[in-house]
Structures are given as structure tokens and as C-alpha cells.
Amino acid sequence: MTKQEQSDMWKAEIEKGLNKVKELRMQLKPVEFTSKLWETYQGAYGDVREDVAFLFCPKELIPDTEKLRRLDDEEKDSYEIIFDNLSENLTHQLSLYHASYLVMPYLALLLELKRQEGDFDWQMKVIVLAGDVLATDIPYCGGGSEREALMPEEVMDSYRRSVAVVQERTKEFLGQYMDRLKEMEPDWKRQYFCTDVLAILGDREAAFQMLMGQWEQCPLSCPDCGYYDEEMEADGFYDREQLEKIEPAPSVIGKWDGKSYEDTYVWFSNLVHLLGVEDEWKVAYYFGTYTCPVCGSKGVLIEWMKEME
């Protein structure tokens, strides 16, 4: 098979894969792979369109691919490597990359495709990647409304519609697979998953801070006197003495109906509890009241953390 024949074959197979979610594709109107926008809006390592496209190609037809994450010694097929490479391109050092706005609609399409196939593992992988991306689409990372104003309107329209789809599919996923999620090991995977769900359904900036601090470090400064709490950043939840500065929020375990996502503290606390995350006790502290040791001002810990720049 010549290179041209091989290229034509790949294009045809990718189109077949996308046609399986044709209706949603028409709704989201993602940027076509032939667009030069992929050259303009790139990931950490450059143009990501091939990695995105191959996710809709049959696994057996995907060419051998080198890992961007060279320290990853787990044996994986080319399909998994391509997904990992895309993830690395979009989330390297938990930064925001322009390619994310072009890729999100395709993540929504991939999530829908895996939903139709009833594939639990791949739905979870897509949700986690989408959560990582959304956690960086905040002003702190150069995202939010200022970034949206600089992007082509058609790109942002597609992006916003795709985020809405990911949100709805994530809710459906939680409703359908809660029992399987409880069995997921090790514990850190359940914790990481919950944090990404927080980015998708609740609070991107809070999720970013929790991801950056790995549920341990709590950087913050008092908005009234400017005191920067170095101990909270360095030690955070490692040092129980630091917790004396925080009055944990009242427990709301058992008060979630499993459907409403309006009160972030309520649903997030209960999700973390239902999945048996070992560090669930920290959620009450994140949403608890921190008292500045210098001036005595009080504020919700996670809200003050979100103000860090």
C-alpha cells in the first residue's frame, strides 16, 4: 500500500467513526481537520489534529506511535498511546493550551461514541481529560472570558456547546456507573476523578487549586491585610496544627439526592463520600472558614485559595 493509499484509508475510516455520532457532530460543528486553525491553535508539543483524528479510527489500523510520556513504562497499544499523547499536549504542567478549544468538541464526540459502546473505562478516561482541560480554562491560566474574546467566535460556540454535552454525559455516567466507580483502585484514582468532575460540573478554579495542591497544599493570602500564609502552602493538610485555623463546614453527608448539582459543597461532599475517598474529611475543610492569624478576618478556605495569582 502506498503512502497515499494508506492516508486515504485512514481518512475514510476516521470519517466512518465520526459518522457514528453524526447527529451530535452536526450540532457541535467542530473545526474540520483540514482547517489551518489547527496550525494556529496548538498544544504543548504542536499540532494535535492527527492524535484527535485517530481516536475515531479502528484500533487495529492505527500506526505505531511513540510515547510523549517517556517515563510511562506501562505496556499500551497505539490507541492508548495516542490518547495519552493528546492528554499530555493539552495538560502539560496543568497549563491551558489553545488547542483545547478545538479539541473539546471532539472529546464530546468521543465520549458519546464510548457511551454508545457501553465502554466504562474509556468514558472515564475522556471525562478525566475533559476535567483536566476545564480546570485550566480559568483566568489564572489565561483562560476564561478574556481568552474567549481572542478566539474565533465559531470556535468558541462549538466549544461551549461541547462543554454542555460533556456535563450532561458526565451526570449520566455518574448515575449509571456509581457502583463500578466505588470499586476503582487505587484510591487516588477515585480522588482524581472526583476533582475532575468538580471541574466539569461545579467549580473549575476550585478544582484547579485542588489538583495543583494534590489535596495537600493550600496556598492563600488574606484579602484584607495581605498576609500570605506560607505554612498553609508548605504544610497544608500535612500539619494538623494548621487545621486549627479552619472551622470545617458542617457535614452534609446524606443530603444529596444524586441529581442536583446546584450546591457544589453538597454534591461534591457526597460524591467523594460515596466513592470512599480516604481524604474525604478534607472537603469540609476546603469549604470551611479560615481565620487569618494576623488580622482575624474570616473567609471560606477554597474561595481564598481561588484568589491566588
Side-chain angles (χ1 to χ4, degrees):
M1 183 182 296
T2 65
K3 287 185 178 180
Q4 185 59 52
E5 289 173 335
Q6 192 173 51
S7 177
D8 291 342
M9 179 268 292
W10 281 330
K11 289 178 181 178
E13 292 298 328
I14 290 167
E15 192 61 28
K16 287 181 184 178
L18 286 168
N19 277 335
K20 294 178 181 178
V21 286
K22 182 178 180 180
E23 184 176 341
L24 183 58
R25 183 185 183 187
M26 292 175 63
Q27 175 188 332
L28 298 182
K29 297 180 180 178
V31 173
E32 298 293 339
F33 294 127
T34 54
S35 172
K36 290 188 177 295
L37 289 175
W38 293 95
E39 300 170 15
T40 303
Y41 303 114
Q42 301 190 353
Y45 299 92
D47 192 326
V48 302
R49 80 180 98 187
E50 282 194 6
D51 287 344
V52 176
F54 274 124
L55 293 175
F56 297 90
C57 187
K59 295 181 180 181
E60 63 274 12
L61 298 179
I62 294 176
D64 292 337
T65 307
E66 292 186 7
K67 294 180 179 179
L68 284 176
R69 297 171 177 170
R70 300 188 183 280
L71 297 180
D72 181 6
D73 57 2
E74 184 179 345
E75 196 69 30
K76 296 180 178 180
D77 60 32
S78 292
Y79 190 83
E80 292 175 293
I81 293 172
I82 281 176
F83 184 83
D84 285 352
N85 286 352
L86 177 62
S87 299
E88 182 66 15
N89 253 299
L90 299 181
T91 65
H92 180 65
Q93 296 184 339
L94 207 58
S95 298
L96 175 65
Y97 298 96
H98 295 157
S100 296
Y101 295 106
L102 277 64
V103 174
M104 186 61 72
Y106 286 99
L107 291 183
L109 293 174
L110 185 63
L111 182 56
E112 173 61 17
L113 183 60
K114 299 306 179 183
R115 186 191 70 84
Q116 292 178 6
E117 296 172 353
D119 193 321
F120 167 82
D121 291 328
W122 273 101
Q123 285 183 78
M124 187 183 68
K125 288 180 180 180
V126 176
I127 288 171
V128 166
L129 176 53
D132 283 346
V133 169
L134 290 174
T136 64
D137 189 9
I138 58 177
Y140 180 88
C141 297
S145 58
E146 291 186 7
R147 174 57 54 190
E148 290 183 14
L150 299 175
M151 298 293 292
E153 186 57 34
E154 65 272 20
V155 171
M156 292 313 306
D157 284 344
S158 179
Y159 175 75
R160 286 188 284 264
R161 286 195 292 268
S162 66
V163 170
V165 170
V166 170
Q167 289 172 332
E168 289 307 309
R169 293 294 180 265
T170 299
K171 293 175 185 178
E172 293 171 7
F173 182 78
L174 291 174
Q176 183 175 359
Y177 292 109
M178 190 64 74
D179 288 339
R180 289 194 62 176
L181 288 167
K182 293 177 183 178
E183 299 171 356
M184 190 164 53
E185 295 291 347
D187 174 74
W188 68 263
K189 286 189 175 181
R190 299 193 302 278
Q191 179 174 300
Y192 194 85
F193 173 77
C194 287
T195 314
D196 280 314
V197 172
L198 175 62
I200 294 171
L201 299 178
D203 190 328
R204 298 180 187 181
E205 292 174 318
F208 176 82
Q209 288 294 342
M210 295 171 80
L211 288 169
M212 284 292 288
Q214 299 181 333
W215 286 49
E216 293 292 354
Q217 297 172 312
C218 305
L220 78 157
S221 60
C222 177
D224 292 324
C225 72
Y227 170 70
Y228 180 69
D229 197 331
E230 295 182 1
E231 288 79 12
M232 284 297 294
E233 179 182 24
D235 300 322
F237 292 118
Y238 287 108
D239 185 354
R240 288 301 180 112
E241 290 184 10
Q242 300 303 319
L243 298 182
E244 294 179 3
K245 303 173 184 176
I246 309 166
E247 181 182 351
S251 174
V252 290
I253 300 304
K255 297 183 179 180
W256 182 43
D257 61 6
K259 299 176 182 179
S260 173
Y261 291 88
E262 293 182 3
D263 190 319
T264 300
Y265 177 54
V266 170
W267 74 256
F268 185 65
S269 294
N270 280 275
L271 176 62
V272 171
H273 175 74
L274 288 170
L275 297 194
V277 175
E278 291 179 7
D279 284 345
E280 71 165 289
W281 62 271
K282 296 178 182 178
V283 177
Y285 280 87
Y286 274 122
F287 289 85
T289 302
Y290 169 89
T291 300
C292 175
V294 174
C295 72
S297 292
K298 299 178 182 293
V300 177
L301 176 66
I302 192 64
E303 294 299 325
W304 281 17
M305 289 174 63
K306 286 161 52 177
E307 294 300 317
M308 292 298 298
E309 296 183 0

